[in-house]
Amino acid sequence: KVLIVDDDIRNIFALSSVLEWRNMLIYSAETGSDAIQVLQDHPDIDVVLMDIMLPEMDGYETMRAIRQISQFKSLPIIAVTAKAMKGDREKCIEAGAWDYLAKPVDSDQMLAVLRAWLRRREPAPVALEV
């Protein structure tokens, strides 16, 4: 389950198209406050793709707010942004992102990043005694 946060519906559509084709369930939000509400309504979301340039609360503020909610401290958030200047990646990580993708997003790179973070969230296999 993926939450896509972006104020441009075309970006939500493009990312959703790639992810739905891989059987991922998509939730979307166009503002930071809406994103927080979606997470509270659907706490089983596995990962967030977060745009930085959002109205009202920007992506940095939204990530900081999400990290303040105890149940979302370990939720993977991947910043997806056109802000690709020197230092922008670090600023995203400091705000609470676990990773960073620059727009335009390369689908294969996005899937590889999602795969890496989602694997880390999977519970460890339980050893069964024989």
Side-chain angles (χ1 to χ4, degrees), residues 30-42:
E30 294 182 28
T31 67
S33 56
D34 287 348
I36 293 166
Q37 188 61 56
V38 170
L39 286 172
Q40 290 172 332
D41 293 344
H42 304 279

Side-chain angles (χ1 to χ4, degrees), residues 11-74:
N11 292 332
I12 292 173
F13 177 79
L15 295 173
S16 295
S17 298
V18 172
L19 299 174
E20 285 173 344
W21 193 72
R22 284 155 181 87
N23 299 317
M24 294 186 185
L25 182 60
I26 308 301
Y27 296 89
S28 64
E30 294 182 28
T31 67
S33 56
D34 287 348
I36 293 166
Q37 188 61 56
V38 170
L39 286 172
Q40 290 172 332
D41 293 344
H42 304 279
D44 58 341
I45 286 175
D46 297 299
V47 65
V48 177
L49 297 175
M50 177 72 64
D51 185 29
I52 298 302
M53 303 298 288
L54 296 171
E56 300 167 27
M57 299 172 67
D58 66 19
Y60 302 120
E61 293 173 276
T62 304
M63 289 187 287
R64 286 186 198 101
I66 291 169
R67 293 296 183 223
Q68 294 299 313
I69 303 168
S70 60
Q71 72 189 86
F72 301 127
K73 287 193 185 300
S74 64

